[in-house]
Amino acid sequence: MKIKDILKKEFDLKGFQVINTIKLIDEGNTIPFIARYRKEMTGELSDVVLRKFYDRLLYLRNLEKRKEDVIRLISDMNKLTDEIKVSIKNCETLQEVEDIYAPFKPKKRTKATIAKEKNLESLALDIINYNAKDIENNAKKYINKEKGVNSVEEAISGACDIIAEIISEDAALRKIIRNIAINEGVLISKGASEEDSVYSIYYSYSEKVKTIPSHRVLAINRGEKEGYLKVKLDINDDKIINKISSLYIKDPNREESKYIIDSINDSYKRLIYPSIERQVRSYLTEMAEERAIKVFSENLKKLLLKPPVKDKVVMGFDPAYRTGCKIAVVDKNGKLIDTQTIYPTPPQNEIEKSKTILKEMIKKHDVDIIAIGNGTASRESEMFVSELIKEIDKDIKYIIINEAGASVYSASEIANEEHPDVNVSLRGAVSIARRLQDPLAELVKINPKHIGVGQYQHDVNQKRLEEVLNGVVEDAVNTVGVDLNTASISLLQYVAGINKSIAKNIVLYREEVGQFTSREELKKVKRLGKSTFLQCAGFLRISNCENPLENTAVHPESYEICINLIKKLGYTLDDIKEKNISDIQCKAYNIGIEQLSKDLNVGIPTLKDIINEIKKPGRDPRQDNIQPIFKSDVLKIEDIKEGMILKGTVTNVVDFGAFVDIGIKNDALLHKSKMSNKFVKDPINIVSVGDILDVRVISVDIQKQRVSLSIKDL
């Protein structure tokens, strides 16, 4: 099948969708741009589907390239036959191509290559093809002391080594064995010693390859890497050997069969099993990594799209013990206005002094919310802040913020550029405060894998992880849109079509000439050409602009269509600016979307998008998401009782469930078995990071500081 046909079948698409999407990708268009502004061409494929489509397209093209390379390499050896060529062309995976190429690939010296050097290949072929007749008598012809063949036994042994390699390189056979191993094999792990460790549950563990969850695969891999576990693949050896025998033993009564059977056993134990075990382990790891990366990306997307807390003065509180708690106050626009270091936690315990300092800062800057990092000493800091709030004559709340990656940001080049005169230790508190005000704008400054909402993210392929997570950040940034006059370089570089160099040029232009007054002005930015403008313009916003369309996701290429639309419906641009256009959808549907589409010569998806955008210009799509829970008092695990119904915020979703912040030091576990009365295969389908849930406490372990939850029947 051609690549287009494979994609059409796998993604259940129409022909035009596949052809147009490939064309758009090959023209250099970005995924966000294609998803948002080329809906008519793709049949409204989402950014998620487009990224999967893109990944699969790359794989299939690499597969075709490898097929061509292998055909050429075998042809150069003068060993290419029509049968081999057809087999290669019919391969559906890279592994199948490599299986066919294996017999032709240059090898290190093996038992078989040594035997071939002794001219024993003909003898081996006679035996395996049942042409040997009297084998021992035939083998005498191959005795050659100069070549190192001193006896009939040595000749036959060498021939069997060649037969063993021939069997091991049988591509069709390897595919059969690999399928048996994947569908029937069992992964077994044992403790490398009796030393207690976090891997103790895997010291005597086994599970079928086809059912083992990805988080267990990665845990076992890590335990093996750290030397705590010994791992092997258990498969039905007899079944496989019988399968090989059925393919190679033509007549059990013939003399050749005895030697072929010996070769089969040797081939399986010495060559096939170790290779298949590596391939199956690699397959399991690849599947587990893809799953872990998917979980991470889903969590990250939800975290990035958490609603911003706007128009609030925030105090960032970075907890610590010996070195003191770092405090940073940022104004409503995120500008740093004050810093301090206090010591309310052990060993200093300067509680009253610390309260006095914070009370003065809160009064001076009219602080609305205190954002506390969830790292070391977070629990003690929360108790301190809770007591502090009770003593303040102001309605002030606090919230716990995931501070993962804040220390990475503090020492980064970005932080140094933003706060060159601020001590590194205080920058983390700034990041914590800003994460509440605008999670997306702040988190893009940190490498996504350091944000801390994944599962085994340090155990997976880092290049693949980076590719996927960068795609997630890119989609999130372009979903929300970016204010062209305030966005940082870190944020701008994720806008479709813009790289770090162009982002810097945009900021430099802004510093030189002041604020942008139109998107068209982008064309004056150094190295920002027509192609880049096309990709990025619709995702950049300019607020308080003469043309209100500049503060919407309406692309400049559609301005004329938009203006004709509002005229047709009896509006003006001023109506958009004054937001007196809320009934536009009703008017448009009264005329008929299809009729308007024909009259304006625009696709229906684009027309619907334009209507939705101008109905609420400047709208932040994150505002529709669940708002965070603010607190004024602390909850202790001792306060938690079985049967209690509490509100909690999902902080992380993993394969076996979700972790929920219910206001105590450690997040509580909501196991997937407690999410529904039906079987839950994937927790991500039930809950997401940032969700606020009503949860029932089903168990409390004060000694281990663990709480288990359920959402069944709530």
Side-chain angles (χ1 to χ4, degrees):
M1 292 175 73
K2 292 181 179 179
I3 288 177
K4 292 175 184 176
D5 296 325
I6 294 170
L7 291 168
K8 180 182 175 183
K9 181 180 178 182
E10 289 184 357
F11 288 85
D12 191 23
L13 300 176
K14 295 176 181 175
F16 85 91
Q17 291 177 291
V18 175
I19 292 168
N20 288 346
T21 303
I22 292 175
K23 181 174 182 289
L24 287 164
I25 289 170
D26 288 344
E27 287 174 350
N29 294 289
T30 62
I31 297 299
F33 177 80
I34 296 171
R36 176 72 195 193
Y37 297 111
R38 294 296 180 261
K39 290 181 178 180
E40 286 82 5
M41 291 184 71
T42 69
E44 298 188 76
L45 296 182
S46 69
D47 52 7
V48 175
V49 173
L50 284 167
R51 288 198 184 277
K52 290 178 181 177
F53 184 99
Y54 176 75
D55 286 344
R56 186 61 176 151
L57 175 63
L58 283 186
Y59 180 88
L60 292 172
R61 283 179 168 174
N62 287 335
L63 176 61
E64 288 304 307
K65 176 70 168 57
R66 185 57 180 159
K67 287 180 184 180
E68 292 171 5
D69 289 343
V70 168
I71 288 171
R72 176 181 53 78
L73 289 166
I74 297 174
S75 177
D76 289 346
M77 300 175 194
N78 295 318
K79 294 182 179 180
L80 184 67
T81 64
D82 289 341
E83 184 182 359
I84 292 171
K85 190 173 182 178
V86 169
S87 296
I88 293 171
K89 285 185 173 293
N90 288 336
C91 288
E92 295 180 355
T93 66
L94 286 166
Q95 184 60 63
E96 289 175 12
V97 176
E98 297 309 320
D99 283 347
I100 293 173
Y101 182 46
F104 306 97
K105 191 180 293 186
K107 300 180 182 71
K108 296 177 181 178
R109 279 168 61 82
T110 64
K111 284 188 174 184
T113 56
I114 292 169
K116 288 176 182 178
E117 290 169 3
K118 295 176 179 179
N119 295 331
L120 297 173
E121 189 169 11
S122 295
L123 177 60
L125 293 174
D126 283 343
I127 294 172
I128 199 170
N129 293 320
Y130 284 83
N131 294 326
K133 296 180 181 177
D134 185 346
I135 294 175
E136 290 193 10
N137 192 45
N138 194 6
K140 289 178 181 177
K141 295 184 290 186
Y142 294 91
I143 294 174
N144 185 333
K145 293 186 178 181
E146 288 183 6
K147 293 276 187 180
V149 183
N150 298 306
S151 64
V152 167
E153 289 74 17
E154 286 184 10
I156 294 174
S157 176
C160 286
D161 288 337
I162 295 172
I163 294 170
E165 189 166 278
I166 290 171
I167 293 169
S168 76
E169 292 177 342
D170 183 331
L173 175 63
R174 291 179 73 88
K175 186 175 181 179
I176 291 169
I177 296 171
R178 193 162 48 242
N179 286 337
I180 291 172
I182 289 171
N183 291 310
E184 301 176 21
V186 176
L187 194 69
I188 297 174
S189 70
K190 296 186 181 297
S193 68
E194 295 184 2
E195 179 188 351
D196 190 32
S197 73
V198 293
Y199 305 104
S200 297
I201 59 171
Y202 298 113
Y203 281 7
S204 181
Y205 181 83
S206 65
E207 189 160 357
K208 284 189 173 182
V209 167
K210 68 177 181 180
T211 60
I212 187 168
S214 62
H215 64 276
R216 287 186 195 147
V217 172
L218 295 175
I220 288 169
N221 285 356
R222 185 191 286 180
E224 182 182 38
K225 185 178 179 181
E226 294 178 7
Y228 289 100
L229 300 177
K230 290 184 178 179
V231 186
K232 74 169 186 174
L233 176 69
D234 182 53
I235 44 183
N236 189 331
D237 298 339
D238 292 338
K239 179 177 181 177
I240 293 174
I241 288 173
N242 288 337
K243 180 64 183 177
I244 301 172
S245 298
S246 71
L247 296 173
Y248 282 92
I249 303 298
K250 296 178 183 177
D251 183 351
N253 298 316
R254 288 278 297 268
E255 182 187 11
E256 290 95 334
S257 296
K258 170 190 169 185
Y259 297 107
I260 295 173
I261 288 171
D262 289 343
S263 298
I264 287 171
N265 283 301
D266 175 49
S267 178
Y268 176 69
K269 291 174 184 175
R270 181 169 59 86
L271 301 172
I272 297 175
Y273 171 79
S275 174
I276 293 296
E277 183 183 41
R278 284 193 300 272
Q279 287 179 11
V280 171
R281 291 288 306 277
S282 178
Y283 161 82
L284 276 175
T285 299
E286 187 178 329
M287 294 299 104
E289 288 184 349
E290 282 298 311
R291 171 64 189 165
I293 289 170
K294 181 188 176 187
V295 170
F296 196 132
S297 61
E298 291 281 349
N299 288 338
L300 177 63
K301 187 170 186 178
K302 293 291 184 181
L303 184 63
L304 292 172
L305 293 177
K306 285 177 70 174
V309 176
K310 296 185 176 179
D311 301 320
K312 300 292 182 184
V313 178
V314 179
M315 174 180 284
F317 193 117
D318 189 1
Y321 288 119
R322 183 181 54 81
T323 56
C325 301
K326 310 304 185 292
I327 310 297
V329 179
V330 296
D331 68 12
K332 294 178 180 182
N333 297 315
K335 181 182 177 183
L336 177 63
I337 52 178
D338 203 355
T339 61
Q340 262 292 356
T341 301
I342 59 175
Y343 300 88
T345 55
Q348 291 90 342
N349 292 312
E350 296 177 356
I351 295 174
E352 293 307 317
K353 181 179 178 181
S354 299
K355 282 183 180 179
T356 301
I357 293 170
L358 291 199
K359 285 176 183 177
E360 289 176 359
M361 293 178 77
I362 290 168
K363 184 178 181 181
K364 179 180 178 182
H365 304 295
D366 198 19
V367 172
D368 299 299
I369 302 167
I370 301 175
I372 306 171
N374 66 342
T376 305
S378 177
R379 177 63 174 170
E380 293 83 351
S381 298
E382 183 184 5
M383 293 175 71
F384 165 76
V385 169
S386 174
E387 289 299 317
L388 172 72
I389 287 174
K390 292 174 185 175
E391 300 174 13
I392 297 175
D393 186 21
K394 183 182 189 316
D395 183 19
I396 187 168
K397 304 287 186 182
Y398 75 86
I399 188 170
I400 305 297
I401 296 288
N402 184 345
E403 66 173 48
S407 59
V408 175
Y409 162 78
S410 298
S412 69
E413 184 181 335
I414 295 171
N416 192 52
E417 289 174 357
E418 289 184 338
H419 309 291
D421 301 323
V422 177
N423 188 282
V424 172
S425 64
L426 289 164
R427 294 172 184 168
V430 181
S431 180
I432 290 168
R434 287 179 174 170
R435 287 185 193 199
L436 178 64
Q437 289 182 320
D438 193 337
L440 181 59
E442 193 61 26
L443 291 174
V444 293
K445 300 172 186 176
I446 302 163
N447 187 312
K449 67 185 178 185
H450 294 307
I451 292 176
V453 288
Q455 182 183 16
Y456 295 101
Q457 61 262 38
H458 300 295
D459 296 317
V460 304
N461 182 302
Q462 295 300 296
K463 184 174 182 293
R464 173 68 179 152
L465 177 67
E466 195 120 348
E467 287 173 357
V468 173
L469 297 189
N470 282 340
V472 170
V473 178
E474 186 180 32
D475 288 340
V477 168
N478 290 286
T479 296
V480 173
V482 171
D483 189 320
L484 186 54
N485 284 321
T486 62
S488 65
I489 292 171
S490 304
L491 195 56
L492 285 167
Q493 69 185 4
Y494 281 107
V495 174
I498 295 178
N499 56 30
K500 190 172 184 178
S501 175
I502 293 174
K504 285 182 177 178
N505 289 341
I506 289 173
V507 173
L508 283 173
Y509 179 88
R510 200 167 67 197
E511 290 171 352
E512 288 171 5
V513 302
Q515 299 213 329
F516 284 88
T517 56
S518 72
R519 286 165 165 165
E520 194 70 20
E521 203 176 342
L522 277 165
K523 293 178 180 178
K524 297 178 182 179
V525 173
K526 185 180 178 183
R527 292 180 59 201
L528 200 155
K530 290 181 180 179
S531 175
T532 301
F533 178 82
L534 179 69
Q535 299 298 310
C536 74
F539 302 109
L540 296 167
R541 311 277 188 270
I542 304 174
S543 56
N544 302 317
C545 190
E546 185 65 28
N547 182 353
L549 298 182
E550 306 276 87
N551 196 31
T552 69
V554 177
H555 197 285
E557 66 182 3
S558 297
Y559 280 4
E560 187 177 347
I561 293 168
C562 183
I563 290 168
N564 290 336
L565 169 68
I566 61 175
K567 282 181 181 177
K568 195 172 187 66
L569 297 177
Y571 298 109
T572 66
L573 285 175
D574 285 338
D575 289 320
I576 298 176
K577 191 184 294 186
E578 300 299 325
K579 299 184 180 180
N580 295 325
I581 203 166
S582 58
D583 60 345
I584 185 173
Q585 203 159 17
C586 185
K587 284 190 176 183
Y589 278 86
N590 283 339
I591 294 174
I593 293 295
E594 288 188 11
Q595 185 59 50
L596 281 172
S597 171
K598 290 176 184 176
D599 292 346
L600 298 167
N601 192 26
V602 62
I604 289 175
T606 297
L607 179 59
K608 287 180 177 179
D609 282 347
I610 290 172
I611 291 170
N612 287 331
E613 278 301 312
I614 60 178
K615 185 172 68 174
K616 294 181 179 178
R619 183 184 71 91
D620 188 330
R622 294 174 295 174
Q623 291 171 348
D624 298 334
N625 296 338
I626 300 168
Q627 298 294 321
I629 298 175
F630 296 106
K631 300 188 287 184
S632 58
D633 203 358
V634 71
L635 191 65
K636 303 173 185 175
I637 193 169
E638 289 79 11
D639 301 328
I640 307 295
K641 306 297 178 188
E642 286 186 25
M644 272 187 170
I645 306 295
L646 303 169
K647 277 208 179 296
T649 305
V650 177
T651 58
N652 201 4
V653 182
V654 292
D655 278 339
F656 53 84
F659 291 99
V660 182
D661 176 10
I662 57 172
I664 58 176
K665 181 176 182 180
N666 298 323
D667 290 343
L669 175 64
L670 173 61
H671 193 271
K672 66 179 184 179
S673 63
K674 304 301 178 184
M675 290 181 175
S676 172
N677 289 318
K678 297 178 181 179
F679 173 72
V680 175
K681 183 178 180 181
D682 192 345
I684 283 179
N685 295 330
I686 307 294
V687 296
S688 301
V689 169
D691 283 357
I692 294 174
L693 309 174
D694 287 322
V695 294
R696 179 189 291 111
V697 178
I698 57 174
S699 71
V700 181
D701 187 331
I702 293 176
Q703 186 177 355
K704 293 183 178 178
Q705 294 286 294
R706 292 177 184 170
V707 175
S708 297
L709 307 171
S710 173
I711 57 172
K712 284 184 179 181
D713 305 319
L714 286 178

